[in-house]
Amino acid sequence: GKSTKRKSNLAIGEKGLGSKSGFAYGDNFLIRSFQNGTVTLYNAFIDPSQVGQIAKLHSEATAEENGIEIEIPVNERDIWQFKNKAESTFKYFKIPPTVKGNNEYSLPTIKTIFEGSNFKFVEFEDYHAEARAIMGNISYPIDLNAVNWGEDHDLKQVFNRSVLVEFNLGELETSTSREGLEYSNHTQQNIIAKARQIKDECLAEVYSKIANGKSMFEAKKIYIQIFDCYSGYSLSF
């Protein structure tokens, strides 16, 4: 679990497990390292004593640019599951990776209803209402009941619809598996602070639009338009 990223919020990662994640699926995977005109092939494997090892297999000249390639053998019956997981993960990436070799792969459409400085109220193609925290491109569902809202309980309504919220690296603590959040005091306070900021931005937008009405009738028309649009996505707060 050693990592050089432990004390920095400048890069994704810190737990030292990502490079071994191939072992979550199988007992071996291949690594090709392209560096300064040489490509070196390694085999990462679990030995008979159940310890992870890396063995150098081959090295030769190459014209490829510097980079890394990881090759994980996948059972044919699992390809569908890999495709689905890739789609659900990459749809939140600001710059999604290029996926080749699977003609059925496509990212679901996310329609933005309203957005602010670091949040979007959205409508999913495959509808499901869910608030998600995005940190380092990875999305995490926000469990509203795991947050101690205290006197700010009304802010819970901000996350009652489909909303994507950007957090800076280090603002949230995550589980080792990267599948969810660790609801420490640090994480909870940052979620509450973000909810407050979203509420303030949304209300400022509403006030600004209504103020543009030249008469009470126009102001009421604007009010109805706003809440017709937002009512299903959350401006109930």
Side-chain angles (χ1 to χ4, degrees), residues 210 218-230:
I210 290 179
E218 269 195 46
K220 288 185 175 181
K221 271 179 62 178
I222 293 169
Y223 177 89
I224 293 298
Q225 288 167 359
I226 290 171
F227 284 93
D228 272 356
C229 174
Y230 293 156

Side-chain angles (χ1 to χ4, degrees), residues 26-226:
D27 287 343
N28 82 292
F29 57 91
L30 297 176
I31 304 164
R32 287 182 180 84
S33 174
F34 301 84
Q35 189 172 26
N36 302 331
T38 301
V39 56
T40 306
L41 177 65
Y42 299 90
N43 184 35
F45 63 97
I46 302 293
D47 70 14
S49 65
Q50 296 300 299
V51 173
Q53 306 281 358
I54 293 182
K56 179 179 176 180
L57 300 180
H58 180 65
S59 189
E60 64 181 35
T62 180
E64 294 281 354
E65 60 184 87
N66 287 356
I68 197 81
E69 179 184 84
I70 309 297
E71 182 180 328
I72 302 174
V74 173
N75 192 304
E76 188 174 358
R77 69 171 181 264
D78 295 331
I79 290 175
W80 179 82
Q81 187 176 351
F82 270 82
K83 179 194 79 75
N84 286 352
K85 188 66 174 178
E87 289 173 345
S88 64
T89 300
F90 296 150
K91 72 180 178 181
Y92 299 108
F93 276 38
K94 287 183 178 177
I95 303 176
T98 300
V99 175
K100 299 179 179 179
N102 189 315
N103 294 330
E104 295 181 7
Y105 171 87
S106 66
L107 291 181
T109 300
I110 301 177
K111 178 184 177 183
T112 299
I113 304 300
F114 175 73
E115 64 182 307
S117 57
N118 49 27
F119 67 91
K120 292 180 181 179
F121 286 98
V122 298
E123 180 180 7
F124 291 101
E125 187 178 52
D126 48 338
Y127 177 77
H128 59 285
E130 186 176 41
R132 298 192 76 90
I134 314 293
M135 187 174 72
N137 267 333
I138 304 301
S139 79
Y140 305 93
I142 299 175
D143 183 351
L144 301 181
N145 295 321
V147 177
N148 181 12
W149 298 93
E151 295 180 357
D152 295 309
H153 195 266
D154 62 309
L155 292 176
K156 184 177 180 181
Q157 299 300 319
V158 174
F159 294 142
N160 258 349
R161 294 293 184 270
S162 295
V163 57
L164 308 180
V165 188
E166 291 278 351
F167 287 83
N168 294 324
L169 289 173
E171 285 190 321
L172 305 174
E173 295 179 28
T174 62
S175 63
T176 303
S177 68
R178 300 282 185 196
E179 293 293 327
L181 297 175
E182 291 284 352
Y183 289 89
S184 63
N185 285 335
H186 174 76
T187 295
Q188 291 184 52
Q189 289 307 309
N190 281 323
I191 288 174
I192 293 171
K194 198 72 73 169
R196 185 179 296 109
Q197 173 233 311
I198 292 171
K199 175 180 177 179
D200 290 345
E201 277 196 42
C202 288
L203 292 179
E205 176 73 7
V206 170
Y207 291 145
S208 172
K209 287 185 175 181
I210 290 179
N212 288 332
K214 295 184 176 66
S215 66
M216 182 60 73
F217 176 73
E218 269 195 46
K220 288 185 175 181
K221 271 179 62 178
I222 293 169
Y223 177 89
I224 293 298
Q225 288 167 359
I226 290 171

